[in-house]
Amino acid sequence: MEKLLKKQRNSNIELLRILMMLVIVAHHYIVNSGVIQCIVSTPPHSLQINRFNVYFALVFGWGGKTAINVFILITGYFMCRQQFKWRKVVFLALEIVLYRWLIYGIFLASGYESFNLKEFIKTVLVLPYDFGWGFSSSFVGLYVLVPFINKLLSTLEKKELEKLICVLLVFFTGFSTFLFNTSFEYIGWYVTVYLIGSYLRLYEMNWMSSRRITGLLCACSLAFSWLSVICIRFLAEKMNRNLPYYYFVADSNKVLAIATAISLFLLFKNINIGSNRLINKFSASTFGVLMIHASSDTMRRWLWQDVCKNTFAFATNSFIFHAVFCTLAVYIVCVSIDMVRKFFTDRILCIFSK
C-alpha cells in the first residue's frame, strides 16, 4: 500500500502540484500586475476595456488561494504517516532565504531598486517577518508543528478528529464566508487544512476512491468557483459599482476555496498515470517557482509591469494569448533557474557530506 501511495505521489500528485503552481502564477499575473486594480478602481460602466477581457481576467486569476490549500492538503496527506525530519525544514528555510537574498541583491546591484533600511531588514529577516501572513514562512511554521500535530492525530479517535475539523471549519470558514468575519491568520488555517489532508489519508471512505464521484465533485466545485466570480461581476455591472469579485475563493479559508481544493486533490489521487520522470522533475522545482517569481514587491513590479506589461496587454485583443503565454513562460523560466540551483546545491552538499 505504501509503495502504491508513493508511486501515486511521484506521478499523479506531482502533476497536480505542477498545475496548481500554474494556477498560482496565473493568479499573480492578474492580482500583482495592476490588472485587477484596473478593474476595481473604475466603475464597470466607465471601464474602457473589452468586456470579455474583464471576465477572462477575473476567471483566469481565480485560483491562487485554492492552490495553496491543495499544497497543504498534499502535505497533510503524506506527512501524517511519514517520519518527521528537521533536515527538510532546514532545507526549506534555506531555499526561501537564498532566493530572497539573491534576488534582492541582484536588484540592488543593477540599480533597479534603491537601498532602503526597512526593506533590507525585511529581506534579511524574511522568515520571521513573513510569518503568519506570507505563505512560504507560514509553511515552514506548519512543518515545524508537524510532529506535534501528528502526535495529536495518534491520540484522537475518528469521531473526535471529525468534530475538531468541523469546529475549526466553522471558526475559519463559516464565520468568514457567511458572517463576514475578517479575523483570520495563516498558521491556524494551515493546521486545519493539514488535519483535513490527514483525515483523507487515515479514514478514507469508499466514495473518496471513486473517480466518477470525485470527478463530479471537482467539476461542480470548479463551476461554482468560476460562476461565483462571473455572477458577482455581472451583478456589479447591473449596479455600476465594484464588488468583491473573489469573495468566495479568497482568502484560502473561504468555502469554495477549500471545497474546490479538496475535490481537486481527491480526483487527482484517483487518477493513475503511472510514474513519469519529466513530471517528477518539473514538480521538484514547484516551490522554487513560487520563491522566484513572487519573492518581493520589487520582483512583482519588475516581472509583471516592466517585463510582461500586463496592463498594456489587458487593453488589447491579444490579452488572452498574452496571459497564457506569460504564465507558461514564467513557470518554465523559473523551473529552469531552480534546476540550475539544485544542480549546484546538490554538488555542494555532496562535497560537504564526504
Side-chain angles (χ1 to χ4, degrees), residues 87 107 122 151 177 228 310:
R87 179 178 176 178
F107 281 132
K122 283 169 56 177
K151 183 69 175 178
T177 304
S228 73
N310 294 8

Side-chain angles (χ1 to χ4, degrees), residues 29 52-53 56 60 313 316-326:
Y29 176 97
F52 185 80
N53 282 6
F56 174 82
F60 192 68
T316 68
N317 293 329
S318 60
F319 175 62
I320 296 176
F321 172 80
H322 185 274
V324 174
F325 175 81
C326 287

Side-chain angles (χ1 to χ4, degrees), residues 131-148:
F131 185 80
W133 69 273
F135 169 71
S136 56
S137 297
S138 300
F139 191 63
V140 172
L142 174 66
Y143 252 97
V144 172
L145 293 175
V146 162
F148 306 101

Side-chain angles (χ1 to χ4, degrees), residues 79 83-94 140-148:
M79 288 299 295
Q83 183 179 1
F84 177 80
K85 296 180 181 179
W86 279 104
R87 179 178 176 178
K88 191 167 186 178
V89 178
V90 172
F91 283 173
L92 194 64
L94 287 176
V140 172
L142 174 66
Y143 252 97
V144 172
L145 293 175
V146 162
F148 306 101

Side-chain angles (χ1 to χ4, degrees), residues 26-216:
H27 173 73
H28 290 163
Y29 176 97
I30 299 299
V31 303
N32 290 335
S33 64
V35 171
I36 194 66
Q37 287 75 15
C38 288
I39 297 173
V40 302
S41 64
T42 308
H45 293 177
S46 303
L47 186 61
Q48 302 298 313
I49 298 291
N50 184 311
R51 189 165 177 246
F52 185 80
N53 282 6
V54 174
Y55 278 92
F56 174 82
L58 290 172
V59 174
F60 192 68
W62 73 278
K65 303 304 181 180
T66 297
I68 292 297
N69 285 336
V70 171
F71 283 117
I72 302 170
L73 284 171
I74 293 171
T75 302
Y77 187 85
F78 289 99
M79 288 299 295
C80 71
R81 283 190 173 176
Q82 286 185 4
Q83 183 179 1
F84 177 80
K85 296 180 181 179
W86 279 104
R87 179 178 176 178
K88 191 167 186 178
V89 178
V90 172
F91 283 173
L92 194 64
L94 287 176
E95 184 176 350
I96 295 171
V97 171
L98 171 66
Y99 277 126
R100 185 64 180 271
W101 289 6
L102 182 60
I103 293 172
Y104 177 71
I106 292 173
F107 281 132
L108 278 182
S110 66
Y112 185 84
E113 182 175 11
S114 302
F115 180 82
N116 178 283
L117 182 59
K118 182 180 180 181
E119 190 64 31
F120 176 77
I121 295 173
K122 283 169 56 177
T123 301
V124 173
L125 302 177
V126 56
L127 288 173
Y129 184 84
D130 286 348
F131 185 80
W133 69 273
F135 169 71
S136 56
S137 297
S138 300
F139 191 63
V140 172
L142 174 66
Y143 252 97
V144 172
L145 293 175
V146 162
F148 306 101
I149 302 173
N150 288 350
K151 183 69 175 178
L152 173 65
L153 287 169
S154 67
T155 63
L156 291 177
E157 298 291 337
K158 180 175 182 286
K159 291 295 184 181
E160 292 174 320
L161 179 57
E162 289 173 346
K163 290 177 182 178
L164 175 59
I165 291 174
C166 286
V167 169
L168 291 172
L169 286 175
V170 169
F171 288 164
F172 284 112
T173 301
F175 290 173
S176 174
T177 304
F178 303 109
L179 298 179
F180 310 103
N181 187 307
T182 57
S183 60
F184 168 68
E185 58 86 29
Y186 279 26
I187 299 301
W189 176 246
Y190 287 4
V191 170
T192 301
V193 181
Y194 182 96
L195 291 173
I196 295 173
S198 300
Y199 180 85
L200 298 178
R201 173 76 177 274
L202 299 173
Y203 305 107
E204 183 175 15
M205 289 174 268
N206 290 334
W207 66 267
M208 296 180 185
S209 298
S210 169
R211 276 184 291 180
R212 179 178 298 178
I213 294 175
T214 55
L216 179 62

Side-chain angles (χ1 to χ4, degrees), residues 16-28 61-75 135 139 189-190 193 222 225 249-253 256-262 264-265 286 290:
L16 177 61
R17 282 160 54 89
I18 292 172
L19 293 176
M20 289 302 98
M21 185 49 61
L22 284 169
V23 168
I24 289 176
V25 177
H27 173 73
H28 290 163
W62 73 278
K65 303 304 181 180
T66 297
I68 292 297
N69 285 336
V70 171
F71 283 117
I72 302 170
L73 284 171
I74 293 171
T75 302
F135 169 71
F139 191 63
W189 176 246
Y190 287 4
V193 181
L222 282 171
S225 293
V249 293
D251 208 328
S252 305
N253 60 322
L256 289 179
I258 183 60
T260 305
I262 293 172
L264 276 166
F265 173 76
T286 296
L290 181 63

